[in-house]
Structures are given as structure tokens and as C-alpha cells.
Amino acid sequence: MDIDNTIDMIERGTLEIISHDELKEKLQKDSPVAYIGYEPSGKVHLGHAITVKKMIDLQKAGFKIKILLADLHAYLNEKGTLKEIKEIADYMRKCFLAFGLSEETEFILGSSFQTSEEYTCKIYQLALSTTLARAKRSMAQITRHETDHRVAEVIYPLMQVIDMLFLDVDVALGGMEQRKIHMLARENLPKVGSSVPVIIHTPLLHGTDGSEKMSSSKENFIAIDDSPETIKKKIKNSFCPAGEVEGNPIIEIAKHFIYDHKDTMLIERPPKFGGNLELSYNELLESYKDGKLHPLDLKNTVTKELIEILEPVRNYFE
């Protein structure tokens, strides 16, 4: 695959790359490193899977993949005891391998290096050049506290920046809620003697209840290891207003998990309801907006497709 096709593959399904020219330079390196960090908390769901799919693309593009299982970050964000968090980290590692990351993927527990003397000194160094307002602003979409703020909120983004230095990162990937921290990293890593990583952002998946983000803490998710019966029940009860495509989680699941590997999707319907439809993504949007496609028919089709897509994950755990 030539470099332009590789960049096209990496860009597919993303919201932004900062920047394309820098990405092209990174692709010329021997074994460049792409990284993403996850707080080990709750089930691995489709929101995680969007970023894992992009890490698989980066793996295909020749990147060495480093997955930070950020146990101390999760602890600072009140996701449980360290013992509970480490148990969830092991579960997450298995989920990511089941979803398609290769065995060569390096999984790193944050606490394995984040308490070292050198790491701590870099945190102090970065703290001297980062304003309190800038650190708090970067956590706006991540923190669990909206009004009663904790000191942990300003330690968290500094750690995430220094993680990139210690993991020798060429590309940092994340959902759009990570953007302010990623930009903090690009602004400040040169101040602590590190090069600047390329940043890639993927969309956030709306929760099954229609809220802005799918989250295990809100119970508005579809886990990648859910049973077919559970998937069917969750999609049946999902927010999916007739005629509305913006912010519709079922439309988003179709876009990111079905149309990413096929050009058309077959909607099976009895003849009395108009018969079968075979639709491209754009045709799906138009048919749904025009009322030609009923929410229940869309849900039934997405349920069937998603159960099939996630079958390898269920088989892995079995």
C-alpha cells in the first residue's frame, strides 16, 4: 500500500488529523508508535470499539500499537479501588484482542511506570508551565465532577501528556472528548524535551438512550461481548426517533460498524410493508428522513448485522 492510500485508510471514519503532513513524516519512520489510553472502568462497548477499529487500521499501516490501561487515571477519576480497576484492565485487554488487535499489541498498565522518580519530576516540570485554568479546561468532558472540583482533575491531564513522552508516541488517538488534552500535549511536550505527536480524533457514539456519549457508567451502551439476546433487547429499547438521523445511535451504529465494510445494507421486510430494501448509507439516510423506512425495520436489521459482527468476540470469550 502506498503512502497516500495508507493515509486514506487511516483518515476513513475520523473527524480530524493534526496534521496530515506530520502523519506522512511519521509513516516514513521504522516502527512508528501509535497509542491510546483507556480508563479501565466497566464493560468494553461500541464507543470503545470505534477507536479500537482505528487502532487496527494503524496496525495495518505499520504502526506499533501501545494500549495504555490507565489504572491510576481511573483511580483519580473515582472509577473504583486499584484492585478492582486492575481486574477490569485485564478484561479490557482480552476484549481488544478478541475484537481484532494482534497479539503483538503492547498493553501497558499505567502504574507500571507512573510512580517512577523520572516520571514524577516531569509532572512537576510540566506543572510549572501549565495554568490551573488550562488544566481544568482540558478535563471539561472527562471529569466526573461538574461543580465540586477535585485536585485530581488537574493532575490527570498532566499525567496524560507525560504518558506520551514515556511511551515514545508518534500518534495519539482518541475520541473528541480528548481533544483539549491532546492539544495541551502538542503545546507543552516540547517544553519537557519531547517531540510532538500527530493527533487523530474519532467520533463519539451517542448512548442508546440518546445522550451525548455511550458510557458504561450510564448503562446506555452495547458491550462488544453482549449476548445476541441482550443486543436485541438493547437495540429494541434504544432511542431511534422516526425521521431523525442526527444524534440517532442506531444510524450511527450502522454507519460505523456495518457500512465500514460493505457498500449496501439489506433491510428485510414483508411484502405488505413494502418488501426488501437494499440501501447505501446515503440512501438509508434519505429513506429514514423521508419516512420510507420505519424505526423497527432499521432496528431489526442493525440487530442482525451487529450480532454477526460481534460473533468473533463472543467466540473468543467462550
Side-chain angles (χ1 to χ4, degrees):
M1 189 183 297
D2 65 41
I3 198 160
D4 288 331
N5 287 335
T6 300
I7 289 175
D8 286 344
M9 177 186 70
I10 293 171
E11 187 175 29
R12 185 181 64 234
T14 65
L15 293 178
E16 64 177 351
I17 296 176
I18 308 170
S19 69
H20 284 79
D21 289 341
E22 291 175 27
L23 177 60
K24 190 173 285 191
E25 289 178 15
K26 299 293 187 183
L27 284 165
Q28 320 245 354
K29 290 181 62 176
D30 291 331
S31 299
V33 173
Y35 128 100
I36 187 171
Y38 297 98
E39 284 187 8
S41 59
K43 300 285 278 185
V44 173
H45 52 69
L46 296 183
H48 297 106
I50 287 180
T51 53
V52 177
K53 276 156 48 68
K54 188 49 56 184
M55 294 305 277
I56 292 170
D57 284 343
L58 288 165
Q59 204 159 47
K60 290 175 183 175
F63 282 86
K64 176 178 176 58
I65 301 301
K66 294 184 179 181
I67 306 290
L68 177 64
L69 299 171
D71 55 336
L72 292 182
H73 285 86
Y75 184 70
L76 287 173
N77 208 10
E78 300 182 85
K79 297 297 178 68
T81 67
L82 284 173
K83 181 176 183 296
E84 292 167 341
I85 291 167
K86 285 178 180 177
E87 288 172 355
I88 296 171
D90 185 57
Y91 154 77
M92 293 186 84
R93 179 184 62 81
K94 292 172 182 173
C95 282
F96 297 151
L97 292 173
F99 199 71
L101 279 168
S102 82
E103 295 286 344
E104 297 175 357
T105 304
E106 187 176 356
F107 293 93
I108 303 158
L109 204 61
S111 57
S112 67
F113 67 91
Q114 289 168 343
T115 58
S116 70
E117 180 180 350
E118 184 182 1
Y119 183 93
T120 304
C121 286
K122 289 293 183 183
I123 293 289
Y124 294 161
Q125 187 179 348
L126 185 58
L128 286 171
S129 60
T130 306
T131 67
L132 187 60
R134 182 69 176 86
K136 285 175 65 177
R137 190 166 69 248
S138 67
M139 287 293 291
Q141 289 186 275
I142 298 171
T143 181
R144 295 171 66 89
H145 294 281
E146 296 181 359
T147 53
D148 190 15
H149 296 282
R150 305 282 193 264
V151 174
E153 291 176 42
V154 294
I155 299 173
Y156 187 116
L158 301 186
M159 288 176 62
Q160 193 165 334
V161 171
I162 300 303
D163 290 343
M164 298 181 202
L165 183 157
F166 270 71
L167 297 177
D168 195 21
V169 170
D170 293 296
V171 167
L173 176 75
M176 280 300 286
E177 84 282 8
Q178 297 287 328
R179 192 180 196 280
K180 289 178 181 177
I181 291 182
H182 284 159
M183 299 312 292
L184 182 69
R186 283 180 62 87
E187 292 165 17
N188 287 300
L189 277 171
K191 299 176 185 177
V192 291
S194 177
S195 60
V196 172
V198 172
I199 304 299
I200 300 176
H201 291 127
T202 56
L204 294 178
L205 193 65
H206 281 79
T208 54
D209 59 354
S211 62
E212 287 188 1
K213 181 183 175 185
M214 188 171 283
S215 169
S216 55
S217 62
K218 292 182 179 179
E219 296 292 328
N220 64 354
F221 64 90
I222 296 172
I224 66 169
D225 58 341
D226 273 343
S227 68
E229 296 76 19
T230 300
I231 292 171
K232 184 176 181 179
K233 181 179 179 181
K234 286 182 176 180
I235 291 182
K236 181 181 178 181
N237 295 328
S238 289
F239 177 77
C240 187
E244 293 186 26
V245 296
E246 293 297 326
N248 186 324
I250 307 305
I251 294 284
E252 291 176 352
I253 291 169
K255 176 182 179 180
H256 295 296
F257 295 95
I258 300 171
Y259 284 107
D260 74 323
H261 66 277
K262 57 170 64 178
D263 294 329
T264 61
M265 183 170 70
L266 179 63
I267 311 286
E268 295 180 337
R269 305 185 302 186
K272 66 179 180 178
F273 294 126
N276 294 349
L277 289 172
E278 189 160 0
L279 304 172
S280 68
Y281 178 65
N282 287 334
E283 289 170 340
L284 174 76
L285 295 182
E286 291 305 312
S287 295
Y288 198 77
K289 284 191 287 189
D290 293 345
K292 296 176 182 176
L293 178 61
H294 192 276
L296 185 58
D297 292 320
L298 174 63
K299 286 182 175 185
N300 288 340
T301 302
V302 170
T303 296
K304 179 183 175 183
E305 295 274 359
L306 192 59
I307 287 171
E308 183 178 329
I309 290 166
L310 297 178
E311 183 178 8
V313 179
R314 296 191 299 274
N315 290 342
Y316 181 97
F317 277 97
E318 287 171 7

